[in-house]
Amino acid sequence: MEKILIKLEKHITSAQEGLKKIDCEKKLDEFRVKSMGRKSQLTNILRSIKDLKTEEKVLVGKKANEIKGKLENMIENKMAELQKKKVSKLAETEWIDVTVPGKGHKPGHLHPTTQMMEYAEDIFQDMGFEIVYPNEIDDDYHNFTSLNMPEGHPARDAWDTFWTEEEHVMITHTSSMQNRILKSGSPPIRAIVPGKCFRNEATDARHEHTFYQFEGVYVDKGITLSDMIGTLQAFFNSFYERDLKVKFTPDFFPFVEPGGMVSLECVLCRGKGCRVCKYTGWLEILGCGMIHPNVLKEAGIDHKTYTGFAWGFGLERLIMLKYNIEDVRLFHSGDLRFVKQF
Amino acid sequence: MLISLNWLKQYLPELYEEPETIATKLSESLAEVESIKYVGRGLENLFIGQVKKIGKHPKSEKLTLCTVNDGEKDRKIVCGAPNVSEGIKVVVVRPEGVVFNASEKLNSQSLFQITEREVAGVKSQGMICSMKELGIAEDHEGIWILPENSIVGQNFTDLIKDAIFEIENKALTHRPDCFSHEGIARELSAIFKTPFKTVDAKTPLFPTQKVDLKIELRNQELCPRFSAIVITNVKIQPSPIWMQLRLMSIGIRPINNIVDATNYFMIDMGQPMHAFDYEKIEKKKLIIRNADDKEKIKTLDGVERKLTREIIVVSDPIKVLSIAGVIGGESSEISEKTKTIVLESANWEMFNNRRTARSLGIRTEAGTRFEKGQDPSNTQESLERAIHLISDIAGGEIASEFIDIYENPVEKRKIVFDLNAVKKILGIDVSKEEILDILKHLGIEVVGAEKLPTKLLTHSEGNKVELTIPTFRRDLNITEDIVEEIARIYGYEKIQPTFPARSIGAAKKNVLREFIIKVKRTLSALGLDEIYTYSFIGEGDYKNVNITTKGLIKIQNPLAPELSYVRNSISPSHLAKLEMNLKNFEEVNIFEISRVALRDKRKDGLPEQPIMMNMTFAERGKNEKIYMKAKGVVDELLEILNVNDLKFVNIKNTTNNNPLWHPARSAKIWSGETEIAMIGEVHPSVISNLGLNGSVCIVEFAIEDLMKVSKKDASYTPIPGLQKIVRDLTVWVAREVEVQEMLEAISENRDKLISKIFIKDIFEGNTNSKTKKNNRKSVTFTIEIQPFNKALLDEESNKIVKQIFDILEKKFRAK
């Protein structure tokens, strides 16, 4: 029994010595196995206890557990010490170049018209307008006749039209949906129609045969022209995130009466006058007016009870102003050098 | 449209506003004034003179020394113009006078002061001016020779100075009356509340002799009114200088006094007129009729034109003399020898007039006015005014009765107008007095104004008056039209913005829009750039991608051959953009969502126009894995869109032989029973047609179909309490075996404890080698087993994996 006790004492002393030399976690693990594992001396010693007498067993067992606990403590302390050391050295041992480009998809770019359209749609949606999308090809009735422009009407000249061989129209404005929208529900009707339109005109930096238009209609009891000005002003204030002046000047569109143009205080010079606004301080932005009674009648809406307004503006113009884009033909060029900037 | 301020003042004697103010007000109340051009601004000391004598210049062969009387005195003036001759009338600038610098461009407005100075050694007391020096035209070849009847000594500076407004006439489509100085003047009278001076009725002139002329009007519908008169013994000569200046200032070239007179009243009153040479009218009979299909006429612009039955003409019994209301013919043109004229002032139906001008491709000042719908009441007055002017400037005697065929005179329209409509439509209060005053200035008569209450009461029935609309305002038909008149003259700028009252309900969302936004956002996050391309396409771009244009809808009037069709697929547009983009970028990953047009018809008769999405992946050089790149994006997109039950079917195994696609590297994508997309490399011949040295893979989605199979909501099952067991299984199979087949075979007989099986790895060895061994690939499946009642023993999971292996072995000879 004495022998065993001495062995245990010796084991712990030599362990203490051995521990001092250990300088990394891996070696400490090996040490743990060597000094406490199944094949360790300590285990051997403990196995030999079974040969002792009962009283001795108790004594030695107690001592052995004490040694084992001590050993575990020592190893744990050492571990803590090693880890502390390691952490303090991390800066040297685990440095990486944090500026190297990351891995994964390089994000793509959404077309500026998509972005602008979504932005404007969201504002109108918040104002209670439903979003409706137009056809690309529509019939004469929806593009012209239902909008108080019967066949042969001289105003049709203002819309240089592409005709398909089937005598359909490449829509010249998104007002092509107006009759359908007015027919589809009962007032109050609030809807916007953003979409692709076509005009048969020669292209240059300012003109494009394919472009995006944003049409809107509002029909209810008691709607007035001043409501229209207020609504459009509210939209532009939200769109440009500041208070802007708007003004209404007369113009002629067969589907509105009174009809006109809404101009916006020049967003670049804030109304002082600059090259872009031709030194007028105003930008002509959209055509609008009170929906003509004939248009309401055509859609089966009682024009004596209800009034409404409608407007339409081109999206490209706003985008060009925002980013200072000089050539409208870039929008449909498919040129990635353009798209990748947005 | 150009409008002269001097001309306007003929009607508005008390208008003293500055041109800028007039322009601003016109823009606010009628139509945009795009620019103001100041004619003769800066010119000084100009007078009309006459060249009395031409002497030789002592030192120069090219120069002459002229004696010119300018009304003040005879001046010795050195002149270098080749066209100077004795007796001619000219514009003289006296010393210290100012003209435009002829060596600068006409529109530079650069001025030049004249002094008494020596020219080649001889003193010159002024200068004889060219048109360019007066700022009228670019002509500087010689001096400007004035008509003989010009008055020597007249102050030319006063005559020429004017302000010309350029008015955007698009906004006046509905205002035929405003295509004239009289009409614009009437507007200004209302805007500035200044008196409008009607032209004094002249003493009527009576015929002093009578020549033969018959008129036969065969189409009343297309010619509501035909007025004419014969004037004989006219002297054809240049118009007086004031009239030439008027016409030139608004862009019309003076021709001779008769033609100028007809043009003058067209610009003055908006009523186009036409003069025929009486001698050239066969049988002295004018017939107004529809042309025959084979008839021809050589028009005043020298072009021979074929006519059709829809076109209305003025003819004699033998030939067509003019295309009515559009352009005259050469055969009856006024010439220097003309002695007798027939002056026509007629009204032509607007729709037919417009169709005629368009079908013949002629745009004339006359057509521009008639197609807006001129007032038939105008023909008589314009003819009367013209007779007086012509007798002043061309002499002559009236040689016929006043011919006037007018079966159905237009009547003045009456509108019952409720003054409350102003508030109802505009949302502002305009006083009764203001409303009545505006109506009066616009020439609208009001009956019943005295019965109106002193203050307008809303919801009262007693606010109605009866309006009588002048015949020249054919655009005023309904209450709303009248409200617009009041609004624009009152001033739109006085309208304060308000908001409509509405409930707080949110707008109904457009689910298609939300879906498209999600797709676009996802694709851009996955590295794709969005481009926009035209809906139009040409034969070439389709040929390049091996597709015929048979299925495409054709445009009748395309802008260019490459824009002749409406596309039925976005791919050809995108493939056409690759060459340019691959020049600038090594890799091109693009997409677009747009409608396309099919020949199939919808219920409403319009072409089917599905919303399609194209993705195109292209790289410079050969990339064998480009399909995988595209499929990777598709897989990720479909996962985000929650589209399940996917199946890729290689077109090699189908009858699809669309030559756009690579025959063995293309697949249709199905979700359950719905075909949602096509993915594949493009056919190698397409790549060479496009002149590309690269790899291209495209994907075509039908967005509406995709949306149908995209599950909006995720489904939830409770998280199991037991740990799942994950096993890998690697098998060797022939290279041709598709992993999809293997997965399907496994799923058919799968143990219900298997929660998921997916491909972890595929190893193909050297695919170039043709040896039998290398024609195989190893596929590693990861199998997830989810026990739910009790934990599984090793043997049990082994059994499940073994079952899978057995299936693969049996079906695909897997090892």
Side-chain angles (χ1 to χ4, degrees), chain B residues 373 480 526:
Chain B
E480 284 74 5
L526 291 174

Side-chain angles (χ1 to χ4, degrees), chain B residues 137-279:
Chain B
E138 277 291 354
D139 186 7
H140 191 52
E141 286 294 297
I143 52 173
W144 185 22
I145 299 169
L146 302 183
E148 281 168 35
N149 53 15
S150 301
I151 302 152
V152 172
Q154 189 174 10
N155 185 329
F156 189 79
T157 325
D158 292 348
L159 212 53
I160 192 172
K161 281 193 181 179
D162 198 356
I164 306 297
F165 303 108
E166 188 177 358
I167 300 182
E168 165 67 272
N169 60 14
K170 207 187 92 224
L172 296 174
T173 317
H174 61 317
R175 293 294 305 272
D177 62 309
C178 283
F179 281 76
S180 71
H181 282 79
E182 190 175 17
I184 300 285
R186 199 180 288 112
E187 290 290 311
L188 287 170
S189 134
I191 294 167
F192 289 108
K193 307 240 180 326
T194 179
F196 178 80
K197 185 181 158 221
T198 43
V199 174
D200 304 329
K202 297 253 170 71
T203 30
L205 295 174
F206 295 101
T208 49
Q209 49 173 296
K210 209 158 178 192
V211 298
D212 193 27
L213 183 70
K214 286 190 197 73
I215 309 279
E216 186 185 336
L217 175 51
R218 290 191 193 160
N219 192 334
Q220 284 275 357
E221 201 184 316
L222 297 186
C223 179
R225 188 174 189 181
F226 191 90
S227 313
I229 203 157
V230 182
I231 306 174
T232 188
N233 290 330
V234 292
K235 194 177 169 221
I236 308 297
Q237 58 186 8
S239 299
I241 192 64
W242 67 266
M243 188 150 139
Q244 291 199 29
L245 285 171
R246 279 277 163 87
L247 291 174
M248 282 191 287
S249 73
I250 50 104
I252 289 183
R253 191 168 56 92
I255 296 174
N256 58 48
N257 47 4
I258 300 299
V259 175
D260 291 354
T262 60
N263 282 334
Y264 183 85
F265 286 106
M266 171 173 71
I267 302 301
D268 185 45
M269 295 180 65
Q271 170 65 42
M273 283 189 270
H274 188 69
F276 300 94
D277 187 332
Y278 176 79
E279 304 303 330

